[in-house]
């Protein structure tokens, strides 16, 4: 880690904003690594980290690295049972957590628990361990040479099947960031805002590359994006479509309040009130972004770039300066290639930098064979246009085949039904060989929560009139609840898990005819 005192991590500690210099961070991480060694963490040990983005999260990950161990990243939104089961299945002997309600469950599973926040019972805080290590007489701590092994274990998204653990090596992540810096023109003088969970691999990809370059970081969370952006003026943002829509709406509201006499420069003042006044690039990914939203943002002068990749394969498509097309995820990465399966339309990628280093099998990591000429399936369906831009239509399970050979794209149907009925979520599936049924999930607390079956039927009939005959919804079932992470029907990043929704809600649904 560079020792430039001017480089810092801008974060909150003890409820107040503060700046932590690189030397301070390195000192804290080294002391925490020494404490981990005293608690029995050895090279190759697995240590889970379970919490929201924070300075303590960064310290825990760095300490695990310095101790020669392997971190296991758990999403902070994971239900307690799933988080404990994942850590246990990965062979973790220690876990860092900021969830007080999970401490007892981790301890019951036989894990040593360290709190990222305040101490809970017998579980000490990371800050307390750092203080103890600082005051204990001992030999100087020597970081472990990690050799050529993986540095972390992460999980697949679980949208197509049960989540699987795999190991990640740092080399493809750092290579990818080197190319990113060249394409988008940033370096160690930039400042990056991070608010998404650090358990999300691309966040750490940018973090570790930036630490090596001496970049400043703003460690934030979804509730403080605007405040931290205005206070710290980051030059780089990483967003997801939902947060981008939220920030766009806030900027529009600000512009309306400013009135026509204060709009010189278009939306620039409003965007500065949301993103800060030093913005160079906003990267958005993880899910498809509304092309109209991207077009509006770019027309207003916001430098936003939609990018595409998968947790296992890394970056695949990039919109870059001078080559950006809303509605697509850009052209294939310059260091790889993309094609589609002619039979299924599945996107295939050929890349020398897949993020998946090996499969986790108990205490072993089985390396994945790397064939530079191999085409890897992504699980997504899309197309490459004549200009080389890649469009992603959805997950391969978002399509169903009908007896006539036609494939129906379910996501657009679900979006149309959701918009028409006011459902919190819609899942379309086959109820028999040729008929489509819609599961309509309503939040009981919402105004639409008491939508009647007859009301839903009338609205679905109206939707069907706008659809091709083989796309029409023939049956529906109303569910007075929302699928959740807890019931296994949503991923920790709030993406629907279609196979689990069909298994839990579809199998026992009381299907009603739309035609009645």
């Amino acid at each position: 880690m560079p020792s430039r005192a001017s480089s810092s991590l801008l974060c909150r500690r003890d409820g107040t904003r503060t700046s932590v210099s690189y030397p301070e961070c390195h000192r804290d991480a080294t002391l925490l690594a020494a404490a981990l060694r005293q608690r029995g963490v050895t090279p190759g040990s697995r240590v889970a980290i379970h919490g929201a983005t924070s300075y303590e999260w960064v310290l825990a990950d760095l300490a695990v690295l310095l101790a020669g161990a392997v971190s296991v990243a758990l999403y902070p939104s994971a239900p307690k049972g799933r988080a404990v089961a994942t850590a246990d299945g990965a062979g973790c002997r220690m876990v860092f957590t900021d969830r007080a309600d999970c401490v007892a469950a981790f301890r019951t599973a036989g894990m040593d628990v360290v709190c990222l926040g305040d101490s809970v019972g017998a579980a000490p805080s990371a800050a307390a361990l750092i203080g103890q290590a600082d005051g204990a007489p001992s030999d100087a701590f020597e970081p472990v040479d990690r050799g050529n092994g993986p540095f972390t274990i992460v999980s697949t998204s679980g949208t197509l099947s049960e989540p699987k653990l795999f190991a990640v090596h740092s080399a493809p992540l750092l290579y990818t960031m080197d190319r990113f810096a060249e394409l988008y023109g940033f370096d160690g003088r930039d400042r990056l805002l991070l608010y998404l969970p650090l358990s999300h691999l691309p966040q750490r990809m940018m973090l570790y590359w930036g630490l090596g370059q001496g970049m400043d970081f703003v460690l934030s969370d979804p509730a403080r994006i605007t405040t931290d952006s205005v206070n710290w003026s980051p030059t780089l943002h990483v967003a997801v479509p939902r947060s981008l829509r939220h920030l766009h709406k806030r900027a529009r509201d600000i512009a309306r309040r400013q009135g026509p006499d204060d709009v010189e420069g278009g939306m620039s003042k409003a965007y500065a009130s949301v993103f800060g006044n030093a913005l160079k690039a906003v990267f958005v990914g993880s899910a498809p972004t509304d092309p109209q939203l991207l077009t509006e943002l770019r027309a207003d002068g916001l430098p936003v770039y939609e990018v595409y990749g998968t947790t296992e394969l890394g970056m695949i498509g990039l919109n870059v300066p001078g080559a950006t097309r809303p509605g697509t995820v850009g052209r294939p990465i310059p260091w790889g290639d993309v094609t589609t399966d002619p039979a299924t339309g599945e996107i295939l990628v050929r890349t020398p930098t897949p993020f998946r280093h090996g499969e986790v099998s108990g205490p072993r990591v089985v390396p994945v064979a790397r064939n530079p000429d191999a085409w890897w399936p992504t699980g997504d369906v899309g197309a490459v246009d004549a200009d080389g831009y890649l469009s992603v239509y959805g997950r391969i399970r978002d399509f169903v085949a009908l007896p006539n050979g036609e494939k129906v794209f379910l996501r657009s149907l679900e979006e149309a039904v959701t918009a028409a009925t006011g459902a919190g979520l819609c899942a379309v599936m086959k109820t028999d060989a040729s008929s489509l049924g819609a599961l309509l999930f309503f939040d009981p607390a919402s105004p639409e929560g008491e939508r009647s079956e007859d009301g839903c039927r009338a609205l679905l009939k109206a939707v069907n009139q706008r659809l091709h005959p083989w796309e029409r919804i023939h049956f529906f079932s109303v569910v007075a609840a929302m699928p959740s992470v807890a019931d296994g029907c949503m991923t920790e990043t709030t993406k629907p898990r279609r196979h689990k929704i069909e298994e839990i809600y579809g199998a026992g649904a009381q299907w009603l005819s739309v035609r009645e």
Side-chain angles (χ1 to χ4, degrees), residues 202-500:
Q203 301 295 102
R204 276 195 288 167
M205 175 177 76
M206 301 192 80
L207 172 68
Y208 282 115
W209 183 87
L211 288 174
Q213 300 295 317
M215 183 184 286
D216 280 353
F217 291 91
V218 181
L219 302 177
S220 185
D221 65 41
R224 301 199 313 258
I225 301 173
T226 300
T227 301
D228 287 342
S229 292
V230 172
N231 288 338
W232 301 111
S233 295
T235 59
L236 305 172
H237 270 250
V238 180
V240 292
R242 181 169 52 185
S243 64
L244 195 61
R245 285 194 302 270
H246 170 70
L247 295 172
H248 176 245
K249 182 179 183 302
R250 290 201 64 170
R252 288 289 182 187
D253 291 343
I254 291 169
R256 278 193 290 271
R257 290 196 296 270
Q258 288 174 346
D261 297 329
D262 193 25
V263 292
E264 183 178 352
M267 290 285 293
S268 59
K269 290 183 179 180
Y271 283 128
S273 299
V274 173
F275 290 96
N277 58 11
L279 191 64
K280 289 171 59 175
V282 179
F283 303 107
V284 59
S286 180
T289 305
D290 180 4
Q292 182 177 348
L293 172 61
L294 290 172
T295 299
E296 286 185 26
L297 291 171
R298 294 194 63 81
D300 289 334
L302 198 75
V304 57
Y305 303 99
E306 186 172 15
V307 299
Y308 163 64
T310 70
T311 309
E312 295 175 88
L313 296 175
M315 298 312 306
I316 296 171
L318 305 172
N319 281 287
V320 297
T324 296
R325 181 169 294 178
T328 77
V329 293
R331 289 173 170 150
I333 51 174
W335 60 95
D337 202 4
V338 168
T339 188
T340 56
D341 186 307
T344 65
E346 183 174 10
I347 297 169
L348 308 175
V349 60
R350 185 166 57 192
T351 173
T353 55
F355 288 176
R356 184 178 60 172
H357 172 78
E359 305 289 348
V360 176
S361 177
R364 298 174 57 241
V365 172
V366 182
V368 175
R370 292 195 179 192
N371 179 355
D373 297 321
W375 290 99
W376 298 85
T378 62
D380 293 319
V381 174
V384 180
D385 66 21
D387 296 323
Y389 287 91
L390 173 65
S391 295
V392 181
Y393 301 142
R395 302 295 281 164
I396 198 164
R397 286 196 178 178
D398 288 342
F399 294 79
V400 296
L402 301 179
N404 61 4
E406 295 293 340
K407 290 187 175 69
V408 176
F409 180 38
L410 300 180
R411 197 176 74 203
S412 60
L413 296 183
E414 292 164 346
E415 291 171 351
V417 171
T418 299
T421 63
L425 187 139
C426 170
V428 175
M429 62 196 68
K430 287 205 294 186
T431 60
D432 56 33
S434 60
S435 299
L436 296 178
L439 284 174
L440 303 178
F441 294 89
F442 289 95
D443 183 348
S446 71
E448 296 82 8
E450 297 183 2
R451 179 84 70 188
S452 69
E453 292 175 351
D454 287 341
C456 290
R457 180 178 288 111
L459 294 168
L460 288 170
K461 285 180 178 179
V463 171
N464 278 345
Q465 290 177 0
R466 303 192 298 268
L467 298 175
H468 192 280
W470 61 58
E471 294 180 315
R472 291 174 182 164
I473 306 299
H474 292 89
F475 300 96
F476 72 100
S477 182
V478 175
V479 183
M482 292 297 295
S484 66
V485 176
D487 67 15
C489 291
M490 305 291 286
T491 70
E492 281 81 357
T493 53
T494 68
K495 295 178 182 177
R497 303 179 70 207
R498 190 176 297 280
H499 63 293
K500 295 299 291 185

Side-chain angles (χ1 to χ4, degrees), residues 98-133:
D98 63 4
R99 291 263 301 274
D101 63 315
C102 291
V103 170
F106 281 121
R107 290 175 64 87
T108 299
M111 285 172 253
D112 185 12
V113 181
V114 177
C115 298
L116 293 170
D118 295 334
S119 300
V120 176
S125 68
L129 293 185
I130 291 170
Q132 294 168 11

